[in-house]
Amino acid sequence: MHEVRVRFPPSPTGYLHIGGARTALFNWLFAKKHGGKLILRIEDTDEERSTQASIDGIIDGLQWLGIDWDEGPYFQTEFAADHVEAAHRLLAAGHAYKCFCTKEELERKRESAMAAKKHDVGYDGTCRHLTPEEVRAKEAQGLPSVIRFKVPVRPGNLFYDDEVLGRIERAYSDIEDFVIVRSNGKPLYLLCNVVDDIRDRITHVIRGQDHMTNTTRQVLLYEALGAPLPVFAHMPLTMDLQKRKISKRSHGEVVAVQFYRDRGFIPWAVCNFLSLLGWNPGNDREYFSREEMIEVFSLSRISRVNSVFNYKPGDPKFFTDPKLIAMNEHYLRTMDIGELGKMVQAELADEGLWDPTYATCRSDWYLATLALIRDRFHTLKDFTTTGRAYFADTYEIDPKPLAKNVLKYPELATWLPQLAERFAALAEFTAETTEQASREMADELGVKPGVLINGMRTVLTGQLAGPSMFEVLTTLGREKVVARLAHVDHLFTPA
């Protein structure tokens, strides 16, 4: 096999959405699997809608996901001369012709064909048979024209072999002569895409099934330009629960890669989730490292049926697909603690909570704290919200546990400061000694130990649940615990 060369050619008309990210991921995995190259090509020929902000967003999104490329980014507009030259070459070789039909004429013909209930309502080839003299005469009149590709008149079917869908066939007679250059002289996507793929020596075109309507026409363009066909692999689309294709317009920011970056998702967790939208390893396994995914990935395991993005707008519990949240939780719990430490550092720094000693003399404490609290967290943001009390003395107390575990027992206004005094007097401040002191005090007061323990948890962490309370005490340290338990009066003061 020649060197594998694949490409990801996004249009910079908005953010990088998860459908596009999945396409980039599959191309990246295939290139890595075969020691090939991934080319990033920005298809920016839509001048009215393309923006620099979108270009930056696409590149930032790919970099955040860890999808690197080997060549580019190339910009399609930089090769405009190549596209025009190819069109003129097709004209000169008789594979294309100038069409002077106006939009109004084409629409009238289409309406007439539909009224007559004709099967073929496409372009009728009016200008296909113009003589060179007739073309020159129309040009002399200053009539605008487009360039149409001249579909060969052949019996039978055009076909290509798709790595996902198998053999795809379409009758030549069903393909109308299609426009490749607009009347303003600018080539269309159909032609530009093929010319760029030929120039970039693309061997495999891995893209969504929504591009299949273009593929048969592009096969004709490859043939007319004298270039070998790449291998095509058309992936299934990703739909929502209403069987609508996920899109920026219909679903908003929840389908944007930046949505997950800004909410503290782990990049590879998102990639792992995306890989299972339309691909499977042939067994029930779901979690793969980058290296493992590269090793097992193959085009033959891409599904022929559409995948489902399980998103319910307005769901108070799941703001995105529950599977994605579960995968992110899995990686939070299981990933290397040092790697997690770097990710949490960025979150703490953004919130002004990062202490440089966490990277030096307190690094053991920092990593041990992350290991203690990460099991109940959903995203990296939880370390600065739910877990804020471990890194700052200013933190919110959840109203529900405050009412249930603290305000329900007004005596805690006295009991917790008394417990603080006992903790301060301990010879050693350990999980064992603090637990013994807490239970002894509960016995003396004639209350269940849970009253003190749950009250402590709420006051010290602001949360209803978490790790073992006595591990929390030793993690926070004697000084913080005593100070926080000694000053609880304000919690019982009416607002």
Side-chain angles (χ1 to χ4, degrees), residues 410-444:
E411 299 89 347
L412 287 173
T414 301
W415 293 347
L416 291 179
Q418 290 175 354
L419 187 56
E421 292 177 2
R422 296 196 181 204
F423 287 163
L426 289 173
E428 292 184 62
F429 191 77
T430 66
E432 292 76 15
T433 60
T434 54
E435 180 175 5
Q436 181 179 352
S438 301
R439 294 187 182 280
E440 286 178 353
M441 182 172 170
D443 286 342
E444 294 170 12

Side-chain angles (χ1 to χ4, degrees), residues 26 47 87 96 152 213 251 264 272 337 350 370 388 407 435 489:
F26 282 20
E47 296 178 358
T213 55
H251 301 90
N272 196 159
I337 197 66
D350 286 345
L370 300 188
R388 183 183 177 93
L407 301 183
E435 180 175 5
D489 291 351

Side-chain angles (χ1 to χ4, degrees), residues 165-187:
L165 302 172
R167 176 151 294 195
I168 304 298
E169 298 188 40
R170 187 178 179 187
Y172 282 100
S173 59
D174 289 341
I175 309 173
E176 68 175 323
D177 292 353
F178 52 92
V179 178
I180 57 174
V181 179
R182 298 180 180 88
S183 58
N184 61 7
K186 293 185 177 181

Side-chain angles (χ1 to χ4, degrees), residues 158 160 165 168 170 174-176 178 189-190 207-220 234:
L158 175 150
Y160 64 92
L165 302 172
I168 304 298
R170 187 178 179 187
D174 289 341
I175 309 173
E176 68 175 323
F178 52 92
Y189 161 84
L190 273 173
R207 60 187 180 186
Q209 290 181 12
D210 50 340
H211 286 279
M212 288 185 66
T213 55
N214 298 323
T215 305
T216 49
R217 292 178 290 177
Q218 290 184 323
V219 167
L220 292 171
H234 288 97

Side-chain angles (χ1 to χ4, degrees), residues 120-268:
D120 184 5
V121 295
Y123 181 64
D124 63 1
T126 297
C127 295
R128 179 179 176 123
H129 306 293
L130 292 177
T131 65
E133 293 75 17
E134 289 173 321
V135 170
R136 285 193 291 271
K138 289 180 179 291
E139 289 177 330
Q141 297 175 49
L143 297 177
S145 64
V146 299
I147 297 177
R148 288 184 182 272
F149 183 81
K150 186 184 292 184
V151 176
V153 178
R154 297 172 182 165
N157 298 334
L158 175 150
F159 68 87
Y160 64 92
D161 292 315
D162 190 284
E163 287 291 294
V164 176
L165 302 172
R167 176 151 294 195
I168 304 298
E169 298 188 40
R170 187 178 179 187
Y172 282 100
S173 59
D174 289 341
I175 309 173
E176 68 175 323
D177 292 353
F178 52 92
V179 178
I180 57 174
V181 179
R182 298 180 180 88
S183 58
N184 61 7
K186 293 185 177 181
L188 273 71
Y189 161 84
L190 273 173
L191 178 63
C192 298
N193 188 259
V194 169
V195 171
D196 291 340
D197 282 350
I198 293 172
R199 183 194 61 249
D200 293 336
R201 307 190 311 283
I202 300 303
T203 60
H204 295 73
V205 173
I206 306 170
R207 60 187 180 186
Q209 290 181 12
D210 50 340
H211 286 279
M212 288 185 66
T213 55
N214 298 323
T215 305
T216 49
R217 292 178 290 177
Q218 290 184 323
V219 167
L220 292 171
L221 288 171
Y222 276 101
E223 179 185 276
L225 290 169
L229 276 183
V231 175
F232 289 100
H234 288 97
M235 305 179 297
L237 304 181
T238 300
M239 318 296 279
D240 66 11
L241 294 172
Q242 286 71 47
K243 298 184 179 180
R244 298 177 302 171
K245 178 185 173 184
I246 59 167
S247 67
K248 310 166 190 175
R249 180 176 300 176
S250 299
H251 301 90
E253 65 175 358
V254 74
V255 299
V257 168
Q258 283 81 352
F259 177 87
Y260 300 96
R261 179 197 64 191
D262 295 344
R263 281 158 182 76
F265 277 71
I266 294 169
W268 182 248

Side-chain angles (χ1 to χ4, degrees), residues 386 389-390 395-409 412 416 450-467 469 472-473 476 484-485 488 490-492:
T386 307
Y390 294 88
Y395 52 93
E396 293 184 4
I397 295 181
D398 188 325
K400 290 184 178 180
L402 178 63
K404 178 181 179 181
N405 295 334
V406 180
L407 301 183
K408 182 179 178 180
Y409 305 97
L412 287 173
L416 291 179
V451 173
L452 292 180
I453 294 171
N454 293 332
M456 272 196 293
R457 182 185 300 281
T458 301
V459 168
L460 294 174
T461 69
Q463 302 301 312
L464 176 65
M469 189 62 241
V472 171
L473 294 179
L476 289 173
R484 292 178 184 179
L485 293 180
V488 296
H490 65 285
L491 298 177
F492 297 88

